[in-house]
């Protein structure tokens, strides 16, 4: 038959079932019992496609009662502490003390400064609205939008746009973004309260007839774009390189498609090839396109975090092996290596107090695929909450690692489910970040942060860094530092 043309003949539908699909099994951390977890997104299924009873029940989805501590935490098991002062530390099970507590030899890690959060605050891009950006480079708003997106020319359907934004909802991190939806008042209240919004993914398993929430279905809404100084500088460079192109399309800013021969004469097709070759060589040509729902650090911030992590790792190696201590803890305060199976459901509320991830958060891996158990890293990207995923930069290389599409070194990055990681950023991290980044932002602040990782008395700490702020995030081409048209952070 024809692929996609198959189906099941079910006849007339007289009855329909409203149901919630099974997502998996949930383990009780206190006693090891398991219970079925159903989704929240309702499915509408004809009665003919449902069975009253499974003919071959899957043993993985059978609810089970409590399991003894000895069976759940056998001797020599590797564990990570999920609660208390040893949160995030690795340990080895020595034996069970009684029905509730376990003896563990813990490797005590010294407290570390929240360098990820501090760098995330220090290295940021400012953004301005589309109309303000067009005014800065003195271009018609429609023309500016085409240059930033797609600019089609015939013959050959050449796209001479910078492709920094897409109507499908894709952007280039550090250059373009969707205008934030949160009002200024809501931002101020959230900042004043210091409380992060609960964050959780939607159902991971859907069936035919499942209905996504209204928020998921409203993605076709018109996007209001904002641009960084980097994007504005790139447009200015483009115009300096090919002024004849800008002069020609400025006469017809509302056209959907242009003809090279009509606008440039007999040399039009040759000029299209020349411009396309230049566009392929610019800095953004090979950069990944990300969904506008993704929140990610600029490349400079990721490089700074990688450097800080390298410095921290080297300092730990020089200080010698960590001190060990024998402690007795409840089983609910431990996570055992490989204790989560493919059918188990972990929620952000299980171990991370239902808090949303934040750029710069320090994490310890529990069961993310491909990452060594108990290894540490930093959150550098946050995807749509419905996906439940974040991107992390680990402190050390690992076999299953990537480079986050060129943002970090090879074997250091990974896309993970947030619920599979343990957030270990300190509770008072905001106050600590305020001390690390007292005033201003940029390279000087990053140098101070890295100096704290090396320890007191280091040469880097004694050096006084001077010079401009990091990466030119606040400068605009053709404008001096004190210019009135300098874009302000939103």
């Amino acid at each position: 038959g024809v692929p996609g043309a198959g189906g099941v003949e079910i006849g007339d539908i007289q009855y329909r079932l409203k149901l919630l699909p099974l997502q998996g099994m949930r383990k009780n951390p206190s006693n090891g019992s398991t219970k079925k977890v159903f989704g929240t997104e309702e499915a509408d299924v004809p009665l003919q496609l449902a069975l009253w009873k499974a003919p071959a029940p899957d043993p993985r989805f059978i609810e089970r009662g409590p399991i003894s501590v000895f069976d759940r935490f056998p001797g020599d098991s590797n564990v990570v502490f999920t609660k208390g002062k040893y949160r995030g530390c690795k340990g080895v099970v020595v034996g069970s003390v009684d029905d509730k507590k376990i003896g563990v030899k813990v490797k005590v890690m010294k407290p570390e400064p929240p360098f990820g959060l501090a760098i995330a605050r220090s290295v940021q891009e400012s953004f301005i609205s589309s109309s303000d950006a067009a005014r800065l480079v003195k271009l018609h708003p429609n023309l500016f939008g085409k240059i930033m997106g797609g600019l089609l020319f015939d013959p050959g359907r050449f796209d001479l746009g910078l492709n920094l934004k897409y109507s499908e909802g894709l952007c280039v991190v550090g250059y373009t973004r969707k205008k934030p939806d949160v009002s200024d008042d809501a931002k101020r209240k959230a900042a004043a309260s210091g409380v992060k919004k609960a964050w959780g993914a939607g159902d991971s398993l859907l069936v035919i007839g499942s209905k996504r929430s209204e928020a998921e279905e409203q993605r076709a809404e018109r996007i209001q774009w904002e641009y960084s100084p980097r994007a504005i500088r790139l447009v200015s460079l483009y115009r300096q390189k090919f002024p004849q192109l800008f002069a020609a399309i400025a006469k017809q800013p509302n056209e959907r498609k242009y003809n090279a021969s009509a606008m440039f004469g007999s040399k039009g097709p040759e000029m299209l090839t020349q411009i396309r070759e230049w566009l392929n060589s610019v800095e953004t040509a090979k950069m990944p396109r990300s969904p506008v729902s993704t929140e990610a650090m600029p490349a400079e911030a990721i490089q700074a975090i990688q450097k800080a992590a390298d410095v921290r790792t080297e300092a730990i190696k020089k200080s010698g092996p960590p001190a060990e201590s024998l402690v007795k803890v409840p089983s609910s305060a431990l996570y055992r290596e490989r204790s989560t199976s493919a059918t188990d459901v972990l929620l952000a509320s299980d171990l991370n107090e239902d808090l949303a991830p934040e750029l710069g958060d320090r994490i310890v891996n529990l069961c993310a695929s491909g990452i060594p158990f108990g290894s540490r890293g930093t959150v550098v990207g946050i995807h749509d909450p419905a996906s439940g995923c974040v991107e992390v930069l680990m402190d050390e290389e690992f076999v299953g690692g990537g480079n986050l599409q060129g943002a970090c070194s090879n074997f250091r990055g990974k896309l993970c489910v947030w619920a599979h990681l343990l957030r270990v950023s300190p509770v008072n991290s905001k106050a600590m970040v305020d001390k690390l980044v007292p005033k201003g932002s940029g390279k000087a602040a990053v140098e101070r942060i890295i100096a704290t990782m090396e320890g007191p008395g280091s040469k880097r700490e004694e050096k006084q860094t001077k010079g401009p702020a990091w990466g030119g995030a606040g400068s605009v081409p053709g404008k001096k530092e004190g210019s009135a048209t300098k874009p302000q952070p939103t």
Side-chain angles (χ1 to χ4, degrees):
V2 180
V8 178
E9 180 64 44
I10 62 174
D12 295 335
I13 300 175
Q14 297 182 355
Y15 299 96
R16 301 189 339 242
L17 297 176
K18 300 285 187 178
L19 54 87
L20 297 176
L22 177 66
Q23 301 298 302
M25 307 300 290
R26 180 87 175 275
K27 284 184 179 179
N28 187 319
S30 299
N31 56 28
S33 61
T34 59
K35 189 176 182 180
K36 291 181 180 178
V37 176
F38 294 90
T40 58
E41 300 174 24
E42 193 176 72
D44 190 343
V45 179
L47 180 62
Q48 296 96 310
L49 295 181
L51 295 174
W52 293 112
K53 186 177 181 180
D58 191 331
R60 297 175 300 171
F61 296 105
I62 297 177
E63 296 182 345
R64 304 183 186 279
I67 303 175
S68 68
V69 171
F70 179 80
D71 290 334
R72 286 189 292 132
F73 294 92
D76 296 328
S77 298
N78 294 320
V79 295
V80 165
F81 286 70
T82 60
K83 297 178 181 178
K85 67 177 183 178
Y86 297 121
R87 181 180 172 93
C89 294
K90 295 173 64 176
V92 177
V93 174
V94 177
S96 56
V97 178
D98 50 37
D99 293 340
K100 296 182 178 180
K101 290 190 175 182
I102 300 172
V104 180
K105 183 183 292 185
V106 56
K107 295 180 180 179
V108 182
M109 297 291 294
K110 295 180 180 179
E112 63 178 27
F115 64 88
L117 295 171
I119 292 175
R121 177 188 293 188
S122 302
V123 188
Q124 295 183 353
E125 286 283 0
S126 57
F127 286 84
I128 59 175
S129 67
S130 176
S131 57
D132 289 341
R135 193 181 306 115
L136 280 173
V137 293
K138 299 179 180 179
L139 287 176
H140 189 282
N142 289 350
L143 178 57
F144 180 80
K146 289 181 179 180
I147 293 294
M148 286 297 190
L151 185 65
L152 296 180
F153 269 82
D154 281 333
R157 284 190 64 82
F158 280 82
D159 187 353
L160 302 186
L162 292 170
N163 290 299
L164 300 183
K165 67 182 183 72
Y166 293 80
S167 58
E168 296 88 351
L170 298 177
C171 66
V172 178
V173 174
Y175 289 81
T176 53
R177 74 175 184 185
K178 178 184 177 182
K179 183 178 179 181
D181 296 329
V182 183
S183 66
D184 292 338
D185 290 339
K187 282 184 178 179
R188 282 193 291 269
K189 290 179 180 179
S193 64
V195 177
K196 289 190 285 186
K197 189 176 180 181
W199 193 84
D203 291 354
S204 58
L205 179 64
L206 301 176
V207 299
I208 295 176
S210 294
K211 296 181 180 179
R212 278 293 186 188
S213 61
E214 294 182 3
E216 187 77 11
E217 296 173 354
Q218 292 176 349
R219 296 199 173 190
E221 62 181 6
R222 185 180 179 85
I223 298 174
Q224 295 184 15
W225 293 97
E226 291 185 334
Y227 304 92
S228 72
R230 292 184 178 188
I232 298 172
R233 284 196 294 269
L234 188 56
V235 172
S236 298
L237 179 62
Y238 193 3
R239 182 163 57 179
Q240 292 172 11
K241 190 73 175 178
F242 302 101
Q244 62 273 41
L245 170 65
F246 281 74
I249 61 179
K251 298 176 183 179
Q252 304 175 29
N254 297 318
E255 293 293 323
R256 298 186 63 181
K257 188 185 296 185
Y258 299 90
N259 186 282
S261 300
M263 301 190 77
F264 307 119
S266 59
K267 294 186 178 180
E270 180 182 345
M271 186 176 179
L272 294 183
T273 303
Q274 182 182 357
I275 296 174
R276 188 62 256 173
E277 289 178 353
W278 181 83
L279 289 173
N280 290 337
S281 67
V282 299
E283 56 191 2
T284 57
K286 296 182 180 180
M287 293 181 68
R289 271 52 182 171
S290 304
V292 293
S293 58
T294 296
E295 182 184 1
M297 289 186 182
E300 291 86 353
I302 296 177
Q303 292 297 323
I305 286 179
Q306 180 173 315
K307 186 176 182 180
D310 291 342
V311 171
R312 174 184 176 275
T313 301
E314 188 64 26
I316 292 175
K317 290 180 180 178
K318 288 182 179 179
S319 63
E324 294 184 344
S325 179
L326 190 60
V327 297
K328 295 184 292 184
V329 294
S331 61
S332 59
L334 298 173
Y335 179 89
R336 181 173 61 83
E337 184 180 12
R338 297 189 181 93
S339 60
T340 300
S341 64
T343 57
D344 290 340
V345 175
L346 285 179
L347 304 177
S349 57
D350 292 342
L351 300 171
N352 293 320
E353 301 174 352
D354 210 18
L355 292 179
E358 185 176 350
L359 292 178
D361 266 340
R362 294 286 291 161
I363 58 91
V364 169
N365 177 52
L366 297 180
C367 58
S369 176
I371 304 179
F373 178 71
S375 57
R376 295 191 172 223
T378 306
V379 175
V380 297
I382 303 171
H383 292 281
D384 191 331
S387 71
C389 293
V390 297
E391 292 183 1
V392 294
L393 172 66
M394 305 307 293
D395 292 357
E396 298 183 83
E397 293 183 354
F398 60 101
V399 175
N403 61 7
L404 299 182
Q405 296 181 305
C408 66
S409 298
N410 290 329
F411 309 110
R412 293 288 289 271
K414 189 73 173 179
L415 177 69
C416 306
V417 177
W418 174 240
H420 294 174
L421 307 171
L422 179 68
R423 180 180 180 269
V424 292
S425 295
V427 178
N428 61 337
S429 57
K430 186 177 183 301
M432 297 175 68
V433 169
D434 290 339
K435 290 182 179 180
L436 286 172
V437 192
K439 286 185 179 180
S441 63
K443 189 173 181 179
V446 172
E447 292 292 338
R448 287 195 299 270
I449 294 166
I450 295 178
T452 64
M453 309 304 297
E454 293 179 326
S458 65
K459 293 181 179 179
R460 188 189 300 271
E461 187 178 37
E462 295 169 0
K463 181 180 177 182
Q464 296 296 322
T465 306
K466 296 181 180 180
W470 184 280
S475 60
V476 176
K479 297 296 178 181
K480 295 183 178 180
E481 192 67 22
S483 172
T485 56
K486 177 185 174 184
Q488 300 298 319
T490 54

